Amino acid sequence: MLSDLLDNNRSWSEQIEREQPGFFKQLAAQQHPEYLWIGCSDSRVPANQIVGMLPGELFVHRNIANLVLHTDLNCLSVIHFAVQVLGVKHIIVCGHYGCGGVRAALSNQRFGLIDNWLRHIKDIGYHSREELLAEADEECRVNRLCELNVQQQVKNICHTGIVQEAWKRGQSLSVHGWIYSIEDGLIKDLEVDTDSDGDMPGIYAMQR
């Protein structure tokens, strides 16, 4: 099985080089992506492929249920590097409908270590419990919480000192919330684009 993956890699590399001679030499010299993608670890949501981008065009961070937590130094380090070093112009949080992490968070089942991670999604669900309970269908509740989760992660990104400092120094940077449907391969824009701290609640705004 592993040999199949290596064979696939060689075929892929040869195809790219045939179609774009010198592609890998150029790629090795530098990377200048304009986009940071924060997505779910789900294997059915390959970041580059669903937006039709080649290696080097998208800086990617993935975790279960596409969370951005202020205690997650891994995710924050990715955001810091993307914003301050690579100078990305867009940060995209992309969740997906039917997310297993979101579905698990809506249940009362114990899963083990991941329960600590899912607690953050449970908190979002609890704050929006009236809206979610109004959905008669379980699948609709899961999908609505998937959307609400993306919206919260957009806010979490905007609340970081990393992003606020970028805005204060005049850096062009926008944060977006999208959600992907595995059933048809299409992305929905949740229209929560943010490119400044103008509408941020005062308690999250950081002063120099």
Side-chain angles (χ1 to χ4, degrees):
M1 293 294 292
L2 290 179
S3 62
D4 290 343
L5 297 182
L6 294 172
D7 289 341
N8 290 345
N9 168 251
R10 281 189 288 270
S11 297
W12 172 77
S13 174
E14 291 168 1
Q15 179 184 348
I16 292 290
E17 193 61 30
R18 280 195 306 271
E19 295 173 353
Q20 300 184 55
F23 175 82
F24 290 107
K25 287 186 178 179
Q26 182 179 354
L27 191 65
Q30 58 187 351
Q31 67 164 336
H32 290 299
E34 293 191 355
Y35 310 93
L36 166 60
W37 176 282
I38 299 177
C40 183
S41 298
D42 193 301
S43 60
R44 300 167 296 174
V45 191
N48 284 69
Q49 286 180 269
I50 66 176
V51 290
M53 287 189 163
L54 291 169
E57 296 180 325
L58 201 66
F59 197 59
V60 178
H61 175 80
R62 296 170 70 178
N63 61 48
I64 293 174
N66 41 269
L67 297 183
V68 178
L69 308 180
H70 297 295
T71 53
D72 183 359
L73 297 183
N74 183 2
C75 184
L76 293 179
S77 296
V78 169
I79 296 173
H80 181 271
F81 186 81
V83 172
Q84 293 207 4
V85 179
L86 298 177
V88 298
K89 295 180 180 178
H90 302 274
I91 300 176
I92 301 163
V93 180
C94 187
H96 67 96
Y97 290 122
C99 179
V102 172
R103 189 182 303 279
L106 271 176
S107 76
N108 291 320
Q109 185 176 347
R110 293 186 62 183
F111 296 95
L113 179 63
I114 196 174
D115 293 336
N116 300 281
W117 188 260
L118 299 178
R119 170 63 184 273
H120 299 280
I121 308 174
K122 284 183 179 290
D123 290 342
I124 298 170
Y126 179 74
H127 289 301
S128 301
R129 59 192 179 278
E130 292 184 4
E131 178 181 353
L132 295 175
L133 288 172
E135 298 282 358
D137 181 71
E138 179 184 353
E139 200 63 25
C140 290
R141 285 195 294 273
V142 171
N143 288 338
R144 181 55 182 149
L145 184 53
C146 289
E147 293 179 341
L148 292 170
N149 180 46
V150 169
Q151 292 171 359
Q152 182 60 52
Q153 305 320 311
V154 167
K155 292 177 183 177
N156 288 352
I157 291 171
C158 295
H159 296 167
T160 65
I162 302 163
V163 169
Q164 290 187 44
E165 287 171 7
W167 285 333
K168 282 182 171 62
R169 61 176 176 264
Q171 184 172 338
S172 176
L173 180 64
S174 300
V175 187
H176 314 272
W178 293 355
I179 192 153
Y180 174 73
S181 172
I182 295 171
E183 293 185 355
D184 60 17
L186 296 177
I187 292 172
K188 176 183 177 181
D189 185 350
L190 295 178
E191 299 181 355
V192 288
D193 307 308
T194 308
D195 59 9
S196 72
D197 58 2
D199 295 327
M200 186 181 301
I203 193 169
Y204 297 111
M206 297 182 180
Q207 304 296 323
R208 286 191 176 273

